[in-house]
Amino acid sequence: MKTASTPQPHLASVAKPAAVVIEGLQKSYGDFQVLKGIDLVVRQGERIVLCGPSGSGKSTLIRCINRLESASGGRIVVNGCDLMNESSRSSEVLRDVGMVFQHFNLFPHMSVLDNCILAPMSVRGLSRAQAEERAREFLRKVGIESQAHKYPSQLSGGQQQRVAIARALCMEPKIMLFDEPTSALDPEMVGEVLDVMVKLAGSGMTMLCVTHEMGFARQVAERVLFLEGGSIVEDSPPESFFNAPKSERARAFLAQILH
């Protein structure tokens, strides 16, 4: 896998089709404007890390991509489908967008395996046997197949988050969104989740990840977006962002988070 110090993937990705196109995206809560005209193109297979101070709009941006938040204005196109147009096709397209949250959101009354097979059976129409085969494949990939019959309460936080990643992968999404997937974990559990995400990044999946894990951003990201006050202040390859950030605000952010 190429690391962030190698610029070729970022340059090559320009020729790939767009997975996500965002134009003039706005989101307000009453008089408070969270997103202020975001423009962004994400190419298929790109790995993008979003960072910035709390309240800058990072999580809101990715939650708008899969319509967990309703945009107040602008345009969001995912795999050629305009999500601002309430159509049956937009619902189908969103099935190809997986998401892993800060809190694991596993069903506590269901085993690990049952958490993973629920959506493929109910949404994709897989038989139980097919869903279980797929679930075990992805549980194996995240290193937790041996815990398949346990309940979430019997697992550590890092294990639960790996289950959450496997559950999202069981839908075989084309795009994966991560909303601060390690921020709720004890420090000693962060590494095991990041290791899984690094392996996933090597598979060529389109990824957008909100995180403060700058080591992960350096290693995996092809682009780093720095948000401040609801706007994208910087959009750079990681080597440029970390070595020569353009804005004073990004320099101050990095000085604080990397001290």
Side-chain angles (χ1 to χ4, degrees):
M1 182 181 71
K2 292 183 173 64
T3 63
S5 61
T6 311
Q8 288 92 332
H10 175 66
L11 298 175
S13 65
V14 175
K16 294 181 180 178
V20 180
V21 177
I22 296 173
E23 298 175 346
L25 180 63
Q26 301 180 46
K27 175 63 181 179
S28 298
Y29 298 103
D31 294 332
F32 179 60
Q33 191 170 14
V34 183
L35 298 177
K36 303 174 181 177
I38 297 286
D39 294 315
L40 175 65
V41 176
V42 180
R43 300 289 173 181
Q44 290 179 8
E46 268 196 303
R47 306 182 298 272
I48 295 179
V49 164
L50 295 82
C51 62
S54 297
S56 58
K58 309 179 298 295
S59 293
T60 301
L61 172 55
I62 65 168
R63 288 171 69 89
C64 284
I65 293 174
N66 67 353
R67 284 209 313 219
L68 287 176
E69 297 280 358
S70 299
S72 304
R75 190 165 176 253
I76 305 172
V77 178
V78 175
N79 289 332
C81 178
D82 188 347
L83 298 186
M84 305 296 278
N85 176 13
E86 295 284 344
S87 67
S88 58
R89 181 166 178 259
S90 65
S91 297
E92 293 175 6
V93 167
L94 287 172
R95 296 176 187 174
D96 291 329
V97 181
M99 187 158 184
V100 176
F101 300 87
Q102 175 179 353
H103 299 287
F104 324 121
N105 291 353
L106 300 174
F107 293 112
H109 63 290
M110 299 173 67
S111 69
V112 165
L113 186 62
D114 285 341
N115 265 280
C116 290
I117 68 175
L118 179 63
M121 290 175 63
S122 60
V123 178
R124 296 289 195 195
L126 270 63
S127 69
R128 185 177 183 91
Q130 290 171 324
E132 285 195 6
E133 182 181 4
R134 182 182 293 182
R136 290 186 183 280
E137 174 191 350
F138 287 114
L139 288 170
R140 184 166 53 252
K141 285 187 175 180
V142 302
I144 206 166
E145 186 187 12
S146 63
Q147 312 295 327
H149 294 292
K150 290 187 177 180
Y151 288 85
S153 62
Q154 297 175 289
L155 306 180
S156 70
Q159 289 174 322
Q160 289 185 62
Q161 192 61 294
R162 283 189 280 160
V163 172
I165 293 172
R167 179 180 61 178
L169 292 175
C170 283
M171 288 291 285
E172 298 192 328
K174 296 176 182 175
I175 301 167
M176 279 286 283
L177 310 175
F178 295 87
D179 189 5
E180 300 197 35
T182 61
S183 62
L185 300 176
D186 292 334
E188 64 269 21
M189 298 176 184
V190 169
E192 66 184 73
V193 173
L194 291 179
D195 286 345
V196 169
M197 293 173 63
V198 168
K199 291 177 183 175
L200 181 60
S203 71
M205 179 175 286
T206 307
M207 295 174 59
L208 288 89
C209 181
V210 175
T211 185
H212 291 297
E213 299 291 342
M214 294 297 98
F216 173 79
R218 284 180 184 269
Q219 181 178 3
V220 168
E222 295 175 76
R223 291 161 63 192
V224 177
L225 307 184
F226 179 76
L227 278 74
E228 164 72 10
S231 299
I232 297 175
V233 177
E234 298 202 28
D235 179 351
S236 306
E239 62 271 20
S240 300
F241 178 74
F242 288 108
N243 296 329
K246 301 181 184 71
S247 67
E248 178 59 38
R249 187 63 187 91
R251 287 192 288 272
F253 174 80
L254 289 172
Q256 183 177 34
I257 205 167
L258 296 177
H259 74 279

Coordinates of all heavy atoms in Angstrom, one line a residue, residues 194-256:
L194 N -7.8 1.4 14.0 CA -7.1 2.0 12.9 C -6.4 1.0 12.0 O -6.4 1.2 10.8 CB -6.1 3.0 13.5 CG -6.6 4.3 14.2 CD1 -5.5 5.1 14.7 CD2 -7.5 5.1 13.2
D195 N -5.9 -0.1 12.6 CA -5.3 -1.1 11.8 C -6.3 -1.7 10.8 O -6.0 -1.9 9.6 CB -4.8 -2.3 12.7 CG -3.5 -1.9 13.4 OD1 -2.9 -0.9 13.0 OD2 -3.1 -2.6 14.3
V196 N -7.5 -1.9 11.2 CA -8.6 -2.4 10.3 C -8.9 -1.4 9.2 O -9.0 -1.8 8.1 CB -9.9 -2.7 11.1 CG1 -11.0 -3.0 10.2 CG2 -9.7 -3.9 12.0
M197 N -8.9 -0.1 9.6 CA -9.2 0.9 8.6 C -8.1 1.1 7.6 O -8.3 1.3 6.4 CB -9.5 2.2 9.3 CG -10.8 2.2 10.1 SD -11.0 3.7 11.1 CE -11.2 4.9 9.9
V198 N -6.8 0.9 8.0 CA -5.7 0.9 7.1 C -5.8 -0.2 6.1 O -5.6 0.0 4.9 CB -4.4 0.8 7.9 CG1 -3.2 0.6 6.9 CG2 -4.1 2.1 8.7
K199 N -6.2 -1.4 6.6 CA -6.3 -2.5 5.6 C -7.5 -2.3 4.7 O -7.4 -2.6 3.5 CB -6.6 -3.8 6.4 CG -5.4 -4.3 7.2 CD -5.8 -5.5 8.1 CE -4.6 -6.0 8.9 NZ -5.0 -7.1 9.8
L200 N -8.5 -1.7 5.2 CA -9.7 -1.4 4.3 C -9.3 -0.3 3.2 O -9.7 -0.4 2.1 CB -10.8 -0.8 5.2 CG -12.1 -0.5 4.4 CD1 -12.7 -1.7 3.7 CD2 -13.2 0.1 5.4
A201 N -8.5 0.7 3.6 CA -8.0 1.7 2.7 C -7.2 1.0 1.6 O -7.3 1.5 0.4 CB -7.2 2.7 3.4
G202 N -6.5 0.0 1.9 CA -5.7 -0.7 0.9 C -6.5 -1.5 -0.1 O -6.0 -1.9 -1.1
S203 N -7.8 -1.7 0.1 CA -8.6 -2.4 -0.8 C -9.2 -1.6 -1.9 O -9.8 -2.2 -2.8 CB -9.8 -3.0 0.0 OG -10.7 -2.0 0.4
G204 N -9.0 -0.3 -1.9 CA -9.4 0.5 -3.0 C -10.8 1.1 -2.8 O -11.3 1.7 -3.7
M205 N -11.4 1.0 -1.6 CA -12.7 1.5 -1.4 C -12.7 3.0 -1.2 O -11.7 3.6 -0.7 CB -13.3 0.9 -0.1 CG -14.7 1.4 0.2 SD -15.4 0.6 1.6 CE -15.8 -1.0 0.9
T206 N -13.7 3.7 -1.7 CA -13.8 5.2 -1.5 C -14.1 5.4 0.0 O -15.0 4.8 0.5 CB -15.0 5.7 -2.3 OG1 -14.8 5.4 -3.7 CG2 -15.0 7.3 -2.2
M207 N -13.3 6.3 0.6 CA -13.4 6.5 2.1 C -13.4 8.0 2.4 O -12.6 8.7 1.9 CB -12.3 5.8 2.8 CG -12.3 4.3 2.7 SD -10.9 3.5 3.5 CE -11.0 4.1 5.2
L208 N -14.3 8.4 3.2 CA -14.3 9.7 3.8 C -14.3 9.5 5.3 O -15.2 8.9 5.9 CB -15.5 10.6 3.4 CG -15.5 11.1 2.0 CD1 -16.2 10.1 1.0 CD2 -16.1 12.5 1.9
C209 N -13.3 10.1 6.0 CA -13.2 9.8 7.4 C -13.0 11.1 8.2 O -12.0 11.8 8.0 CB -12.0 8.9 7.7 SG -11.7 8.4 9.4
V210 N -13.9 11.4 9.1 CA -13.7 12.4 10.1 C -12.9 11.9 11.3 O -13.3 10.9 11.9 CB -15.0 13.0 10.6 CG1 -14.8 14.0 11.7 CG2 -15.9 13.5 9.5
T211 N -11.7 12.5 11.5 CA -10.9 11.9 12.6 C -9.9 13.0 13.1 O -9.6 13.9 12.3 CB -10.1 10.7 12.1 OG1 -9.4 10.1 13.3 CG2 -9.1 11.0 11.0
H212 N -9.4 12.8 14.3 CA -8.3 13.6 14.8 C -7.0 12.8 14.9 O -6.0 13.3 15.4 CB -8.7 14.1 16.2 CG -9.7 15.2 16.2 ND1 -9.6 16.4 15.6 CD2 -11.0 15.2 16.8 CE1 -10.7 17.1 15.8 NE2 -11.6 16.4 16.5
E213 N -7.1 11.6 14.3 CA -5.9 10.7 14.3 C -5.0 11.1 13.1 O -5.2 10.6 12.0 CB -6.3 9.2 14.2 CG -7.2 8.7 15.3 CD -6.4 8.6 16.7 OE1 -5.1 8.6 16.6 OE2 -7.0 8.6 17.7
M214 N -4.1 12.0 13.4 CA -3.3 12.6 12.3 C -2.3 11.6 11.8 O -1.9 11.7 10.6 CB -2.6 13.8 12.8 CG -3.5 15.0 13.2 SD -4.5 15.6 11.7 CE -6.0 14.7 11.9
G215 N -1.9 10.6 12.6 CA -1.0 9.6 12.1 C -1.7 8.7 11.0 O -1.1 8.4 10.0
F216 N -3.0 8.4 11.2 CA -3.8 7.7 10.3 C -3.9 8.6 9.0 O -3.8 8.1 7.9 CB -5.2 7.4 10.9 CG -6.2 6.9 9.9 CD1 -6.1 5.5 9.6 CD2 -7.1 7.7 9.3 CE1 -7.0 5.0 8.7 CE2 -8.1 7.1 8.4 CZ -8.0 5.8 8.1
A217 N -4.2 9.9 9.2 CA -4.3 10.8 8.0 C -3.0 10.8 7.2 O -3.1 10.7 5.9 CB -4.6 12.2 8.5
R218 N -1.9 10.8 7.8 CA -0.6 10.8 7.1 C -0.4 9.5 6.3 O 0.1 9.5 5.2 CB 0.6 11.0 8.1 CG 0.8 12.4 8.6 CD 2.0 12.3 9.5 NE 2.3 13.6 10.2 CZ 3.1 14.5 9.7 NH1 3.7 14.3 8.6 NH2 3.3 15.6 10.4
Q219 N -0.8 8.4 6.9 CA -0.5 7.1 6.3 C -1.5 6.7 5.2 O -1.1 6.1 4.2 CB -0.6 6.0 7.4 CG -0.3 4.6 6.9 CD -0.3 3.6 8.0 OE1 -0.6 3.9 9.2 NE2 0.0 2.3 7.7
V220 N -2.8 7.1 5.4 CA -3.8 6.6 4.5 C -4.4 7.6 3.5 O -4.7 7.3 2.4 CB -5.0 6.0 5.4 CG1 -6.2 5.7 4.6 CG2 -4.5 4.7 6.1
A221 N -4.5 8.8 4.0 CA -5.3 9.8 3.2 C -4.5 10.2 1.9 O -3.3 10.3 1.9 CB -5.5 11.1 4.0
E222 N -5.3 10.4 0.8 CA -4.8 11.0 -0.4 C -5.0 12.5 -0.4 O -4.3 13.2 -1.0 CB -5.4 10.3 -1.6 CG -5.1 8.9 -1.8 CD -5.8 8.2 -2.9 OE1 -5.5 8.5 -4.1 OE2 -6.8 7.5 -2.7
R223 N -6.1 12.9 0.3 CA -6.4 14.3 0.5 C -6.8 14.5 1.9 O -7.5 13.7 2.5 CB -7.5 14.8 -0.4 CG -7.1 14.8 -1.9 CD -8.4 14.8 -2.8 NE -9.2 16.0 -2.6 CZ -10.5 16.1 -3.1 NH1 -11.0 15.0 -3.7 NH2 -11.2 17.2 -2.9
V224 N -6.4 15.7 2.5 CA -6.9 16.1 3.8 C -7.7 17.4 3.6 O -7.2 18.4 3.0 CB -5.7 16.4 4.7 CG1 -6.2 16.9 6.1 CG2 -4.8 15.1 4.9
L225 N -8.9 17.4 4.1 CA -9.7 18.6 4.1 C -9.7 19.2 5.5 O -10.0 18.5 6.5 CB -11.2 18.2 3.7 CG -11.4 17.5 2.4 CD1 -12.9 17.4 2.1 CD2 -10.7 18.1 1.2
F226 N -9.4 20.4 5.6 CA -9.5 21.1 6.9 C -10.6 22.1 6.9 O -10.7 23.0 6.0 CB -8.2 21.9 7.1 CG -8.2 22.7 8.4 CD1 -8.0 22.0 9.6 CD2 -8.4 24.1 8.4 CE1 -8.0 22.7 10.8 CE2 -8.4 24.8 9.6 CZ -8.2 24.1 10.8
L227 N -11.6 21.8 7.8 CA -12.8 22.7 7.8 C -12.7 23.6 9.0 O -12.2 23.3 10.1 CB -14.1 21.8 8.0 CG -14.6 21.2 6.7 CD1 -13.8 20.0 6.2 CD2 -16.1 20.7 6.9
E228 N -13.3 24.8 8.8 CA -13.3 25.8 9.9 C -14.6 26.7 9.6 O -14.8 27.2 8.5 CB -12.1 26.7 9.9 CG -12.2 28.0 10.6 CD -12.2 27.8 12.1 OE1 -11.9 26.6 12.6 OE2 -12.4 28.7 12.9
G229 N -15.4 26.8 10.6 CA -16.6 27.6 10.5 C -17.6 27.3 9.3 O -18.2 28.1 8.7
G230 N -17.7 26.0 9.0 CA -18.6 25.5 8.0 C -18.1 25.6 6.6 O -18.8 25.5 5.6
S231 N -16.8 25.9 6.4 CA -16.2 26.0 5.1 C -14.9 25.1 5.0 O -14.3 24.9 6.0 CB -15.8 27.5 4.8 OG -16.9 28.3 4.8
I232 N -14.6 24.7 3.8 CA -13.3 24.0 3.6 C -12.2 25.0 3.4 O -12.2 25.7 2.4 CB -13.4 23.0 2.3 CG1 -14.5 21.9 2.6 CG2 -12.1 22.4 2.1 CD1 -14.7 21.0 1.4
V233 N -11.4 25.1 4.3 CA -10.3 26.1 4.3 C -9.1 25.6 3.5 O -8.4 26.4 2.8 CB -9.9 26.5 5.8 CG1 -8.7 27.5 5.7 CG2 -11.0 27.0 6.5
E234 N -8.8 24.3 3.6 CA -7.7 23.7 2.9 C -8.1 22.3 2.3 O -8.9 21.6 3.0 CB -6.5 23.5 3.8 CG -5.9 24.8 4.3 CD -4.5 24.8 4.7 OE1 -3.7 23.9 4.1 OE2 -4.0 25.5 5.5
D235 N -7.6 22.0 1.2 CA -7.9 20.7 0.5 C -6.5 20.4 -0.2 O -6.2 20.9 -1.2 CB -9.0 20.8 -0.5 CG -9.3 19.5 -1.3 OD1 -8.5 18.6 -1.1 OD2 -10.3 19.5 -2.0
S236 N -5.7 19.5 0.5 CA -4.4 19.3 0.1 C -4.0 17.8 0.3 O -4.5 17.1 1.1 CB -3.4 20.1 0.9 OG -3.7 21.5 0.9
P237 N -3.0 17.4 -0.5 CA -2.4 16.1 -0.2 C -1.8 16.2 1.2 O -1.4 17.3 1.7 CB -1.3 15.9 -1.2 CG -1.6 16.9 -2.3 CD -2.3 18.0 -1.7
P238 N -1.7 15.1 1.9 CA -1.2 15.1 3.3 C 0.2 15.7 3.5 O 0.4 16.4 4.5 CB -1.3 13.7 3.8 CG -1.4 12.9 2.6 CD -2.1 13.7 1.6
E239 N 1.1 15.4 2.6 CA 2.4 15.9 2.8 C 2.4 17.5 2.7 O 3.2 18.1 3.5 CB 3.4 15.4 1.7 CG 3.1 15.7 0.2 CD 2.1 14.7 -0.4 OE1 1.4 14.0 0.3 OE2 2.1 14.7 -1.6
S240 N 1.6 18.1 1.9 CA 1.5 19.5 1.9 C 0.8 20.1 3.1 O 1.2 21.1 3.7 CB 0.7 20.0 0.6 OG 1.3 19.5 -0.6
F241 N -0.3 19.4 3.5 CA -1.1 19.9 4.7 C -0.2 19.8 5.9 O -0.2 20.8 6.7 CB -2.3 19.0 4.9 CG -3.1 19.4 6.0 CD1 -3.9 20.6 6.0 CD2 -3.1 18.7 7.2 CE1 -4.6 21.0 7.1 CE2 -3.9 19.0 8.3 CZ -4.6 20.2 8.3
F242 N 0.5 18.8 6.2 CA 1.3 18.6 7.4 C 2.6 19.4 7.4 O 3.0 19.9 8.4 CB 1.5 17.1 7.7 CG 0.3 16.4 8.2 CD1 -0.3 15.5 7.3 CD2 -0.3 16.6 9.4 CE1 -1.5 14.8 7.7 CE2 -1.4 16.0 9.8 CZ -2.0 15.1 9.0
N243 N 3.2 19.5 6.2 CA 4.5 20.2 6.2 C 4.4 21.7 5.9 O 5.3 22.4 6.3 CB 5.4 19.5 5.1 CG 5.7 18.1 5.4 OD1 5.8 17.7 6.6 ND2 5.9 17.2 4.4
A244 N 3.3 22.1 5.1 CA 3.3 23.5 4.8 C 1.8 23.9 4.7 O 1.3 24.3 3.6 CB 4.0 23.7 3.5
P245 N 1.0 23.9 5.8 CA -0.4 24.3 5.7 C -0.5 25.7 5.3 O 0.3 26.6 5.6 CB -0.9 24.1 7.2 CG 0.4 24.1 8.0 CD 1.4 23.5 7.2
K246 N -1.5 26.0 4.5 CA -1.6 27.3 3.8 C -2.2 28.4 4.8 O -1.8 29.6 4.7 CB -2.5 27.2 2.6 CG -2.0 26.3 1.5 CD -2.9 26.3 0.3 CE -2.6 25.3 -0.7 NZ -2.8 23.9 -0.3
S247 N -3.1 28.0 5.7 CA -3.8 29.0 6.5 C -3.2 29.0 7.9 O -2.7 28.0 8.4 CB -5.3 28.6 6.6 OG -5.5 27.4 7.3
E248 N -3.3 30.2 8.5 CA -2.9 30.3 9.9 C -3.7 29.5 10.8 O -3.2 28.9 11.8 CB -2.9 31.8 10.3 CG -2.6 32.1 11.8 CD -1.1 31.6 12.1 OE1 -0.3 31.8 11.2 OE2 -0.9 31.1 13.2
R249 N -5.0 29.3 10.5 CA -5.9 28.5 11.4 C -5.5 27.1 11.3 O -5.5 26.4 12.4 CB -7.3 28.7 10.9 CG -8.3 28.0 11.8 CD -8.3 28.7 13.2 NE -9.2 27.9 14.1 CZ -8.7 27.0 14.9 NH1 -7.4 26.6 14.8 NH2 -9.5 26.4 15.8
A250 N -5.1 26.5 10.2 CA -4.7 25.1 10.1 C -3.3 25.0 10.8 O -3.1 23.9 11.5 CB -4.5 24.7 8.6
R251 N -2.4 25.9 10.7 CA -1.2 25.8 11.4 C -1.4 25.8 12.9 O -0.7 25.0 13.6 CB -0.3 27.0 11.0 CG 0.3 26.9 9.6 CD 1.4 27.9 9.4 NE 0.9 29.3 9.3 CZ 0.5 29.9 8.1 NH1 0.5 29.2 7.0 NH2 0.0 31.1 8.1
A252 N -2.3 26.6 13.4 CA -2.6 26.6 14.8 C -3.2 25.3 15.3 O -2.9 24.8 16.4 CB -3.5 27.8 15.2
F253 N -4.1 24.8 14.4 CA -4.8 23.5 14.7 C -3.7 22.4 14.8 O -3.7 21.6 15.8 CB -5.8 23.2 13.7 CG -6.4 21.8 13.8 CD1 -7.5 21.6 14.7 CD2 -6.0 20.8 13.0 CE1 -8.1 20.3 14.7 CE2 -6.6 19.5 13.1 CZ -7.6 19.3 14.0
L254 N -2.8 22.3 13.9 CA -1.8 21.3 13.9 C -0.9 21.4 15.0 O -0.5 20.4 15.7 CB -1.1 21.3 12.5 CG -1.8 20.8 11.3 CD1 -1.1 21.0 10.1 CD2 -2.2 19.3 11.5
A255 N -0.5 22.6 15.4 CA 0.4 22.9 16.5 C -0.2 22.4 17.8 O 0.5 21.8 18.7 CB 0.7 24.4 16.6
Q256 N -1.5 22.5 17.9 CA -2.2 22.1 19.1 C -2.4 20.6 19.2 O -2.2 19.9 20.2 CB -3.6 22.8 19.2 CG -4.4 22.4 20.5 CD -5.7 23.2 20.6 OE1 -6.3 23.4 19.6 NE2 -6.1 23.6 21.8

